[in-house]
């Protein structure tokens, strides 16, 4: 006998279909990424004459600093999202580092499971939800 098909992303994780604590959808995720990358570009232009490596480092540092302190990157928070532990609790310090390293590699971030969790989130036990 086969398991019932999940009707929405996050159902099998015990998350609601919509509203607060539901899985953040692709539009918000892409928007947050654009905001964070644009901020990194502006800082890179201002201080490093738009050096591509500096831009990537600025982007990564923002992720690593803001996920454990404010619950997400500035782009996440502006668009009403948070990075949380799937089973609750504080994300700690190592998870944002590993998550960000996988994010900047790109491939893990664009491969999603049926719950729309990227491999970078699955690897560290986090989920991006609507706040």
């Amino acid at each position: 006998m086969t398991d019932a098909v999940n009707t929405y992303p996050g159902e099998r994780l015990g998350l609601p279909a919509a509203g607060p604590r539901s899985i953040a959808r692709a539009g918000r995720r892409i928007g947050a990424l654009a905001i964070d990358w644009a901020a990194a570009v502006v800082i890179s232009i201002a201080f490093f004459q738009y050096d591509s490596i500096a831009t990537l480092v600025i982007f990564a540092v923002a992720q690593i600093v803001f996920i454990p302190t404010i619950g997400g990157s500035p782009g996440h928070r502006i668009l009403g999202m948070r990075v949380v532990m799937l089973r609750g609790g504080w994300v700690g310090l190592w998870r944002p580092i590993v998550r960000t390293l996988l994010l900047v590699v790109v491939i893990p971030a664009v491969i999603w499971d049926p719950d729309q969790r990227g491999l970078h989130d699955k690897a560290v036990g986090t989920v991006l939800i609507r706040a």
Side-chain angles (χ1 to χ4, degrees):
M1 179 173 212
T2 61
D3 292 342
V5 175
N6 293 321
T7 58
Y8 63 88
E11 180 178 20
R12 70 186 182 124
L13 303 175
L15 300 174
R21 294 212 40 87
S22 66
I23 294 285
R25 301 303 199 270
R28 285 178 189 254
R29 292 169 184 257
I30 293 167
L33 181 63
I35 290 168
D36 294 338
W37 190 258
V41 167
V42 167
I43 294 167
S44 179
I45 289 169
F47 295 101
F48 302 101
Q49 293 73 47
Y50 188 61
D51 179 85
S52 60
I53 298 298
T55 304
L56 186 62
V57 169
I58 293 163
F59 174 82
V61 167
Q63 300 291 314
I64 292 167
V65 168
F66 290 116
I67 288 173
T69 57
I70 65 171
S73 70
H76 291 146
R77 301 306 289 156
I78 289 168
L79 294 180
M81 297 179 289
R82 291 183 304 138
V83 176
V84 298
M85 291 295 299
L86 186 58
R87 303 290 176 226
W90 183 50
V91 296
L93 299 175
W94 72 268
R95 285 180 186 89
I97 293 169
V98 172
R99 183 183 187 277
T100 300
L101 290 174
L102 292 171
L103 178 63
V104 299
V105 173
V106 178
I107 300 302
V110 297
I111 298 174
W112 295 351
D113 69 5
D115 292 308
Q116 294 185 0
R117 287 176 66 209
L119 292 180
H120 64 302
D121 278 321
K122 288 184 68 114
V124 297
T126 58
V127 61
L128 186 59
I129 61 168
R130 291 181 59 190

